[in-house]
């Protein structure tokens, strides 16, 4: 209902972009996570992250959704490894981050906010 949010001319086109974002974002992530969980035999991602991707897709469209997933992974990797390196320097013992759970939602949110403010230039 907010065409300027999706750089569209009318509300109907904006609504279609939102629906596409939800469908492609949630659907694509559910398919990918189901594929990963089939091979790992354990839960790879919670459904809350999938719902958050659907919300991002509704507000930013499918491009913003894809950007948020990819940029969120990059931001999360940089932050987690930087934090792990700092802990390794301070504690002088090897890291065992293999068994630790890292939430993806904050990194998705950071990437979505970045897309909202700077993403229209891509």
């Amino acid at each position: 209902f907010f065409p300027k949010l999706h750089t569209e001319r009318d509300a109907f086109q904006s609504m279609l972009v939102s629906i596409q974002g939800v469908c492609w974002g949630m659907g694509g992530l559910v398919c990918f996570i189901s594929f990963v969980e089939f091979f790992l035999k354990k839960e790879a991602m919670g459904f809350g992250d999938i719902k958050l991707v659907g919300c991002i897709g509704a507000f930013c469209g499918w491009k913003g959704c894809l950007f948020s997933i990819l940029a969120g992974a990059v931001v999360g990797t940089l932050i987690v490894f930087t934090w792990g390196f700092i802990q390794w320097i301070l504690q002088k013992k090897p890291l065992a981050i293999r068994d630790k759970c890292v939430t993806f939602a904050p990194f998705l949110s950071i990437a979505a906010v970045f897309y909202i403010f700077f993403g229209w230039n891509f």
Side-chain angles (χ1 to χ4, degrees):
F1 298 110
F2 301 103
K4 289 186 181 181
L5 182 65
H6 298 119
T7 62
E8 296 292 335
R9 293 184 181 180
D10 61 347
F12 183 73
Q13 290 294 328
S14 179
M15 186 176 63
L16 288 178
V17 170
S18 289
I19 292 171
Q20 276 183 329
V22 171
C23 291
W24 283 105
M26 288 182 77
L29 203 56
V30 165
C31 290
F32 178 73
I33 295 305
S34 298
F35 180 74
V36 170
E37 287 177 353
F38 176 76
F39 287 107
L40 290 181
K41 305 291 188 227
K42 63 179 184 178
E43 185 180 31
M45 181 182 284
F47 200 71
D49 293 328
I50 295 170
K51 289 188 278 188
L52 178 62
V53 167
C55 290
I56 292 169
F59 282 102
C60 300
W62 69 270
K63 291 178 185 178
C65 189
L66 181 64
F67 176 84
S68 296
I69 293 169
L70 297 176
V74 170
V75 168
T77 301
L78 292 174
I79 290 174
V80 168
F81 280 122
T82 303
W83 180 250
F85 184 72
I86 290 170
Q87 285 184 338
W88 177 67
I89 294 294
L90 295 177
Q91 296 176 357
K92 299 287 189 197
K93 61 182 180 180
L95 294 175
I97 60 172
R98 191 176 327 153
D99 299 328
K100 299 211 191 282
C101 245
V102 178
T103 57
F104 191 41
F107 308 124
L108 279 172
S109 302
I110 290 169
V113 168
F114 185 81
Y115 183 81
I116 288 170
F117 288 114
F118 305 108
W120 308 117
N121 296 328
F122 290 116

